Amino acid sequence: MRRCTPEEAASQLHPQDTLALPIGPGQPMDLLDALGRRDDWKGLTVFTGLLSAPFALFKRPGVRLISCFYGPVERALREAGLPVDFVTGDFRRFERIAQRLAPRVVATAASPPDPDGWMSLSLHAGATVDLIARCGRDPDRLLVVEASRRLPR
């Protein structure tokens, strides 16, 4: 584990890669902003649901969004002609769908570490817990955890 800036974390993704994110409040907003500042995407597939904002990343050429929960942001991006796919599934199937996509990178937001270094997944500690744990144990994959003061412990 090492600490880094959102830009340093964003630089660890390959121009052709697969990224899985939790739904809504678990999305790492600063990382998504940093990824949106890159312009070298050749084939980045992002799996998530209920986007919390219309991040510039999803307007970049070479970026494809797959959403399991179609919210207002996904609808607006699709209506703008951007590559947004919808995969039917409910909360219980979210993680299984993400696993089938075999993401090399998993990113999440968490509360800042407490004095012992523990972080809380806070408002989204459900559909991606096992996905996050498996990614963190696999040396061939990348786990990005963004400490966010916006999340309650």
Side-chain angles (χ1 to χ4, degrees), residues 20-126:
L21 305 168
I23 60 172
Q27 294 161 359
M29 297 176 76
D30 293 339
L31 174 66
L32 286 166
D33 285 338
L35 291 169
R37 289 190 286 276
R38 287 183 51 179
D39 62 2
D40 63 336
W41 302 115
K42 303 284 187 236
L44 176 66
T45 299
V46 181
F47 175 73
T48 190
L50 291 175
L51 278 173
S52 54
F55 297 99
L57 172 66
F58 301 108
K59 299 172 186 169
R60 292 280 190 199
V63 177
R64 174 180 169 225
L65 173 62
I66 300 174
S67 180
C68 201
F69 295 96
Y70 231 44
V73 176
E74 287 90 346
R75 285 186 182 92
L77 292 171
R78 186 165 184 158
E79 287 172 11
L82 297 164
V84 179
D85 295 321
F86 179 64
V87 176
T88 305
D90 58 24
F91 187 76
R92 290 175 296 144
R93 291 180 186 90
F94 186 82
E95 187 169 39
R96 276 188 266 154
I97 294 167
Q99 286 295 347
R100 280 198 307 262
L101 291 170
R104 184 187 76 85
V105 183
V106 175
T108 188
S111 68
D114 67 15
D116 295 319
W118 291 97
M119 301 171 86
S120 169
L121 292 176
S122 189
L123 302 172
H124 70 93

